[in-house]
């Protein structure tokens, strides 16, 4: 009888052990502790964050938004540094950073936690990696390298008489400076005149735009959170002067710019999550190349076109998908 009891007890213990082991391989063990850091909240960055979360959910690494430690610096550089220091000292499986400033701040912490950046337009120039194909600073991610040549091609379609472009940007934003350098190179190659409007302080934006409007037929703005924050002011002045403004994101167009060739913001977030999944599945960060995400569609603002006298129906946009929007209340 004792032998029978011992056998039964052994079977029960083995079954319990099996269930326990089986449970450790369940979806709950796949859950990761992740943080997402933004310098500032705006439509584009929020959509990118939503895309990251969507991608992580689809892969089973989180079950809800509550599984993500989201932190925003509200545009304050000191806050951003405090946040990245805190995260660097945490026990996260991965950190996602949206756009250049947040990525630079996090990478500069030199943490052992891998960084997956989303929408850094010039990762090498920004100093967050040294090689796109072989990331070497415990960071990799997606680049929304601005399709400068294509945007100026769109400008030629929409405003063919524009002979002098204003280049409006924050001189403190590395990615914006890099994109403007690309724009200058392109414009010089086509013998197109340009006037730079570099802004140091936010208080200079309005006067800089007014100055550019007196000299230029159109204005180009790179991906720049500083300029996005002042978009209503910029477009109001430009409309009064009948000057077209070309942005570098769909959010800029929603906020009043005339048009751009845009990357889907939720889509680039999902692609960033896909890169992180390769790490979670066993690859080293340096084995996961950073990728440049191409533009998805043309977006144009109907309100702006009407204000400066452009008939969108008369423009041939070719085979590109075109989204026509009105001013959004951001």
């Amino acid at each position: 009888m004792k032998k029978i009891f011992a056998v039964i007890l052994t079977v029960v213990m083995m079954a319990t052990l099996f269930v326990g082991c089986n449970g450790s391989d369940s979806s709950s063990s796949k859950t990761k502790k992740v943080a997402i850091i933004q310098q500032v909240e705006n439509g584009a960055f929020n959509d990118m964050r939503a895309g990251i979360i969507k991608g992580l959910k689809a892969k089973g690494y989180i079950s809800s938004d509550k599984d993500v430690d989201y932190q925003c610096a509200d545009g304050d550089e000191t806050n951003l540094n405090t946040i990245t220091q805190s995260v660097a000292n945490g026990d996260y499986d991965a950190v996602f950073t949206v756009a250049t400033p947040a990525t630079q701040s996090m990478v500069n912490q030199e943490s052992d936690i891998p960084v997956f950046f989303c929408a850094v337009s010039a990762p090498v120039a920004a100093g967050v990696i040294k090689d796109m194909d072989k990331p070497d600073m415990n960071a990799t991610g997606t680049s929304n390298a601005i399709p400068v040549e294509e945007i100026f091609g769109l400008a030629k379609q929409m405003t063919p008489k524009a002979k002098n472009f204003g280049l409006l940007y924050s001189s403190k934003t590395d990615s914006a400076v890099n994109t403007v350098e690309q724009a200058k190179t392109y414009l010089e190659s086509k013998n197109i005149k340009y006037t730079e409007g570099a802004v140091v302080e936010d208080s200079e934006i309005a006067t800089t735009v007014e100055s550019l409007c007196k000299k230029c037929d159109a204005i180009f703005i790179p991906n720049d959170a500083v300029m996005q924050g002042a978009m209503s002011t910029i477009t109001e002045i430009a409309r009064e002067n009948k000057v077209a403004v070309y942005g570098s994101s769909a959010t800029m167009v929603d906020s009043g710019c005339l048009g751009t060739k845009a990357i889907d913001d939720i889509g680039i977030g999902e692609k960033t999550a896909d890169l992180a999944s390769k790490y979670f599945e066993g690859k080293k960060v340096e084995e996961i190349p950073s990728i440049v995400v191409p533009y998805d569609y043309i977006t144009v603002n109907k309100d702006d076109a009407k204000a400066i006298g452009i008939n969108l129906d008369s423009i041939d946009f070719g085979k590109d998908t075109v989204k026509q929007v009105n001013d959004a209340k951001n």
Side-chain angles (χ1 to χ4, degrees), residues 145-209:
I146 308 305
V148 171
E149 184 173 341
E150 287 87 349
I151 292 174
F152 280 106
L154 175 65
K156 186 175 181 179
Q157 288 176 291
M158 300 188 73
T159 49
K161 294 182 180 179
K163 304 299 181 185
N164 189 339
F165 280 84
L167 305 177
L168 178 65
Y169 64 103
S170 168
S171 60
K172 297 187 294 184
T173 306
D174 291 341
S175 57
V177 172
N178 179 268
T179 302
V180 166
E181 288 302 315
Q182 294 178 51
K184 288 160 63 176
T185 298
Y186 172 78
L187 294 171
E188 288 168 4
S189 73
K190 299 296 182 181
N191 294 316
I192 300 173
K193 295 179 181 180
Y194 63 83
T195 303
E196 287 191 64
V199 173
V200 178
E201 302 296 336
D202 293 9
S203 58
E204 301 171 358
I205 294 175
T207 54
T208 302
V209 176

Side-chain angles (χ1 to χ4, degrees), residues 1-320:
M1 190 71 180
K2 289 182 180 179
K3 289 182 179 181
I4 294 173
F5 178 77
V7 171
I8 293 172
L9 182 61
T10 301
V11 171
V12 171
M13 290 175 65
M14 289 180 66
T16 303
L17 180 63
F18 175 80
V19 170
C21 291
N22 201 38
S24 68
D25 291 333
S26 68
S27 60
S28 62
S29 67
K30 192 177 181 180
T31 301
K32 303 299 180 182
K33 184 178 180 181
V34 301
I36 300 179
I37 303 173
Q38 287 179 213
Q39 178 201 23
V40 67
E41 286 204 341
N42 62 40
F45 291 177
N46 292 345
D47 282 349
M48 291 170 191
R49 182 177 80 247
I52 292 170
I53 292 172
K54 182 180 179 182
L56 292 174
K57 284 181 181 178
K59 297 286 185 179
Y61 295 118
I62 62 172
S63 57
S64 74
D65 295 16
K66 294 180 180 179
D67 294 330
V68 175
D69 181 7
Y70 165 60
Q71 299 192 49
C72 179
D74 296 322
D76 187 285
E77 188 174 344
T78 302
N79 286 348
L80 181 60
N81 190 53
T82 299
I83 288 169
T84 54
Q85 283 182 344
S86 175
V87 170
N89 292 324
D91 60 346
Y92 301 94
D93 295 300
V95 179
F96 294 84
T97 53
V98 177
T100 301
T103 303
Q104 289 173 317
S105 184
M106 189 64 214
V107 169
N108 288 342
Q109 300 298 333
E110 298 183 350
S111 169
D112 291 333
I113 304 169
V115 178
F116 294 92
F117 56 80
C118 178
V120 175
S121 59
V124 175
V128 299
I129 54 173
K130 294 178 182 177
D131 190 317
M132 291 286 286
D133 293 325
K134 297 179 180 179
D136 50 359
M137 299 176 74
N138 202 29
T140 189
T142 54
S143 167
N144 59 337
I146 308 305
V148 171
E149 184 173 341
E150 287 87 349
I151 292 174
F152 280 106
L154 175 65
K156 186 175 181 179
Q157 288 176 291
M158 300 188 73
T159 49
K161 294 182 180 179
K163 304 299 181 185
N164 189 339
F165 280 84
L167 305 177
L168 178 65
Y169 64 103
S170 168
S171 60
K172 297 187 294 184
T173 306
D174 291 341
S175 57
V177 172
N178 179 268
T179 302
V180 166
E181 288 302 315
Q182 294 178 51
K184 288 160 63 176
T185 298
Y186 172 78
L187 294 171
E188 288 168 4
S189 73
K190 299 296 182 181
N191 294 316
I192 300 173
K193 295 179 181 180
Y194 63 83
T195 303
E196 287 191 64
V199 173
V200 178
E201 302 296 336
D202 293 9
S203 58
E204 301 171 358
I205 294 175
T207 54
T208 302
V209 176
E210 288 171 354
S211 176
L212 289 177
C213 285
K214 292 175 182 177
K215 302 173 184 177
C216 307
D217 310 305
I219 293 173
F220 168 72
I221 305 176
N223 243 359
D224 189 326
V226 174
M227 294 302 148
Q228 173 59 45
M231 197 56 63
S232 59
T233 297
I234 294 168
T235 54
E236 181 180 355
I237 295 170
R239 288 178 184 184
E240 289 174 356
N241 289 274
K242 305 295 182 184
V243 172
V245 178
Y246 294 95
S248 298
S249 71
T251 299
M252 286 186 174
V253 177
D254 287 342
S255 301
C257 283
L258 176 59
T260 194
K261 293 198 172 182
I263 291 170
D264 182 80
D265 293 324
I266 292 178
I268 196 172
E270 290 181 280
K271 290 179 176 67
T272 306
D274 286 343
L275 294 182
S277 72
K278 294 180 181 181
Y279 169 75
F280 293 147
E281 290 163 5
K283 281 196 172 185
K284 297 178 181 178
V285 175
E286 58 267 30
E287 296 174 338
I288 307 171
S290 300
I291 59 173
V292 177
V293 179
Y295 78 89
D296 294 295
Y297 58 90
I298 292 172
T299 179
V300 293
N301 188 299
K302 294 186 288 186
D303 291 341
D304 193 60
K306 182 178 179 180
I308 63 177
I310 293 177
N311 179 9
L312 295 176
D313 293 333
S314 67
I315 300 171
D316 181 7
F317 292 104
K319 296 181 180 179
D320 282 314

